[in-house]
Amino acid sequence: MPRTLQKQRRPEETRKRLVAAAQELVLERGFSASGVDQICERAGVTKGAFFHHFKSKDEIGIAALGAWAEFGMAAYAEARKAPAKPPLARVHRFFDIMTGFVTDSTSPVTCVVGMMSQELAQANPVLRGVCSGYLGDWTDFAKELLEEAKAAQKPRVDFDAAEAAWFLNALWQGSMLVAKTRQDPHIVIRNLAHARAFIDGLFSGTATLPPRKSPQPRTKRRTK
Amino acid sequence: MPRTLQKQRRPEETRKRLVAAAQELVLERGFSASGVDQICERAGVTKGAFFHHFKSKDEIGIAALGAWAEFGMAAYAEARKAPAKPPLARVHRFFDIMTGFVTDSTSPVTCVVGMMSQELAQANPVLRGVCSGYLGDWTDFAKELLEEAKAAQKPRVDFDAAEAAWFLNALWQGSMLVAKTRQDPHIVIRNLAHARAFIDGLFSGTATLPPRKSPQPRTKRRTK
DNA sequence: CCATACATACCAACCAGTTTGTATGCCTCG
DNA sequence: CGAGGCATACAAACTGGTTGGTATGTATGG
């Protein structure tokens, strides 16, 4: 049947291209609105290749989530390389990394896990479970950073690190959602700044919110 | 063509049933995964009725968003009826109302605006704009409550009411997203409690987070 | 030579939307 | 007051395109 020449076979590469295409489409239109045909078209392969590598659409969803989480956690793990000297240094680095996701990108910052969680949490138990796991991983990481800070410096008011981490996770996801809907990435940056000050305030007890009126939103910004 | 008897005609009722069905389906599976046929089936009408009342699927999406926002804002407006005597009384009432959405419901608390924002913010400019407007309405309401509190009592540290309102909006949306994915509504309740304490702390300067182990659901608030 | 890695064609179900027909209730007008 | 007209409110069948998934082939490389 194949009239055209088959290109050189790069199964690993083909798989990666499919996963990357799926991630892109999910970020743009969500999972259910992303057709298998569209994924194939963007990846430059045919449906035969798709169903050779993934036995269903759900399965590439799982793969997309996994690759996304792996990439993300690798970025967050950089926070561990910050010095431990000021107890909150690594927490601050963590906030810097999240802020960097916004400032280093022209397109709105979004998350495959957040996208698929929103769509599928109630309708697809399997994918819901996968999303739940990755949200938990993120929270565990934040929780550990907070606990290390607590161990290094007793906070002014005791707090539960896990609860604070879930607070940050929800704020992070919600900020991305709101910012892209409002088409204003500064919402994320400001919310992260406030959250950072909030955490700082738990330890230092000085200020809990940046006192000034925050930076101008309107004009396009360029930061790296 | 119609072999069956046509039921009594109640256009207003039919329209409401379609909008309600659309809201339900959007909350369960999202907008793009909700077919017109499914909406009609759940509303108990045929496609002829659907396209008589709405000229496209997008249009019922707009109607669903509008009805949802109207219902929600009516519930939030109850916060205005709280006494103004302690400056933060109405802000506390506002938190009580949100907490009540969680405690008064068996199913996970979700939001049509958040759902459709997530899916359509990048792919559908029209619906994105509608969502953006309703997110703005919510934030304006919260901002006004905070500004009234600021006027009644000078906060310990000055803060921008609009920024704080966007912070709360993102936290609220993100909390619903995370909670349903984790299948743990307490995440929302705890996050709201922490946010409440955060706002309190801006005024009083005492505690910024409830000490350890978080509280159980607050006093039950009436519905509607 | 044979498992792997694809390509192509195809399928039934479903998609949003249209067409066509008819039942209903109100509004004249005699 | 009753007959008839007529816009509204639906029902049902249908259309062209798309959906996830399959069947069947063949090219490739070890």
Side-chain angles (χ1 to χ4, degrees):
Chain A
M1 293 254 190
R3 312 270 187 256
T4 69
L5 265 298
Q6 189 173 318
K7 313 186 173 191
Q8 42 186 356
R9 304 161 75 154
R10 293 240 166 274
E12 194 130 332
E13 163 82 3
T14 299
R15 217 192 108 99
K16 279 182 183 170
R17 291 172 60 82
L18 281 166
V19 170
Q23 286 180 342
E24 287 177 29
L25 283 163
V26 166
L27 291 177
E28 286 172 21
R29 353 207 238 255
F31 183 71
S32 22
S34 299
V36 171
D37 286 323
Q38 305 171 47
I39 296 173
C40 293
E41 187 187 356
R42 188 168 298 212
V45 301
T46 61
K47 217 185 275 196
F50 182 98
F51 283 99
H52 173 75
H53 289 281
F54 306 96
K55 65 174 188 290
S56 70
K57 189 191 172 186
D58 274 18
E59 209 180 66
I60 204 183
I62 294 173
L65 284 166
W68 181 263
E70 191 178 357
F71 166 82
M73 290 309 285
Y76 291 124
E78 290 291 315
R80 286 237 128 85
K81 296 183 181 168
K85 304 183 296 183
L88 281 168
R90 290 182 177 166
V91 172
H92 283 164
R93 185 90 184 90
F94 183 52
F95 279 110
D96 288 339
I97 291 165
M98 286 188 275
T99 307
F101 284 144
V102 186
T103 57
D104 295 352
S105 163
T106 56
S107 55
V109 54
T110 48
C111 172
V112 172
V113 180
M115 228 8 153
M116 295 183 63
S117 292
Q118 186 82 294
E119 284 188 79
L120 307 167
Q122 321 228 33
N124 191 320
V126 174
L127 289 178
R128 194 222 103 246
V130 176
C131 290
S132 175
Y134 290 130
L135 288 180
D137 291 345
W138 191 98
T139 305
D140 285 344
F141 182 78
K143 185 192 76 171
E144 285 168 21
L145 289 186
L146 290 171
E147 273 172 350
E148 288 168 15
K150 280 177 65 173
Q153 172 182 333
K154 190 170 176 62
R156 181 173 57 90
V157 43
D158 191 27
F159 66 94
D160 186 275
E163 290 187 12
W166 280 116
F167 184 92
L168 294 179
N169 196 342
L171 180 71
W172 175 229
Q173 286 293 337
S175 295
M176 289 188 285
L177 188 151
V178 169
K180 75 176 174 183
T181 304
R182 297 287 299 184
Q183 296 186 322
D184 180 11
H186 295 92
I187 293 176
V188 181
I189 294 172
R190 285 194 293 259
N191 283 351
L192 286 173
H194 292 158
R196 183 200 300 252
F198 174 52
I199 299 294
D200 284 352
L202 293 177
F203 286 86
S204 69
T206 58
T208 48
L209 210 71
R212 37 92 175 108
K213 304 260 180 178
S214 63
Q216 280 309 96
R218 277 297 94 180
T219 47
K220 279 256 174 81
R221 54 194 326 284
R222 286 278 310 127
T223 351
K224 266 295 161 60
Chain B
M1 292 251 192
R3 312 272 186 256
T4 70
L5 265 299
Q6 189 173 318
K7 314 188 173 187
Q8 39 188 355
R9 303 162 76 156
R10 280 179 306 184
E12 193 96 348
E13 162 81 4
T14 299
R15 216 191 108 99
K16 279 183 183 170
R17 290 172 60 83
L18 281 166
V19 170
Q23 286 181 342
E24 286 178 27
L25 282 164
V26 166
L27 291 177
E28 286 172 21
R29 4 216 248 234
F31 183 70
S32 24
S34 299
V36 171
D37 285 322
Q38 305 171 48
I39 296 173
C40 293
E41 187 186 355
R42 189 166 296 210
V45 301
T46 61
K47 216 182 277 196
F50 181 98
F51 283 99
H52 173 73
H53 289 281
F54 305 96
K55 64 174 187 290
S56 71
K57 189 190 171 188
D58 273 19
E59 209 182 64
I60 204 182
I62 294 174
L65 284 167
W68 181 264
E70 193 178 355
F71 166 82
M73 291 309 285
Y76 292 125
E78 291 289 317
R80 287 237 128 85
K81 298 183 180 168
K85 303 197 293 186
L88 281 168
R90 289 181 177 166
V91 172
H92 283 164
R93 183 63 171 276
F94 183 52
F95 279 109
D96 287 339
I97 291 166
M98 284 188 276
T99 307
F101 284 144
V102 186
T103 57
D104 296 351
S105 163
T106 56
S107 54
V109 53
T110 47
C111 172
V112 172
V113 180
M115 214 39 145
M116 295 183 63
S117 291
Q118 187 82 295
E119 284 189 79
L120 306 167
Q122 320 221 51
N124 190 320
V126 174
L127 289 179
R128 194 222 102 247
V130 176
C131 290
S132 175
Y134 290 131
L135 288 180
D137 291 346
W138 191 99
T139 305
D140 285 344
F141 182 78
K143 186 192 75 173
E144 286 168 20
L145 290 186
L146 291 171
E147 273 173 350
E148 288 168 16
K150 280 177 66 174
Q153 172 183 333
K154 190 168 173 65
R156 182 173 56 91
V157 44
D158 190 29
F159 66 94
D160 185 276
E163 289 187 13
W166 279 115
F167 184 91
L168 294 179
N169 196 343
L171 180 71
W172 174 230
Q173 286 292 338
S175 295
M176 289 188 284
L177 188 153
V178 168
K180 75 176 175 183
T181 305
R182 297 288 297 184
Q183 296 186 322
D184 179 11
H186 295 96
I187 293 176
V188 181
I189 293 171
R190 283 193 293 261
N191 283 353
L192 286 173
H194 292 160
R196 183 199 300 254
F198 173 52
I199 298 294
D200 284 351
L202 294 177
F203 285 86
S204 70
T206 58
T208 48
L209 209 71
R212 281 221 82 102
K213 276 302 135 193
S214 65
Q216 55 280 18
R218 286 219 146 230
T219 53
K220 271 246 181 155
R221 282 278 124 236
R222 71 177 68 111
T223 51
K224 327 247 153 104

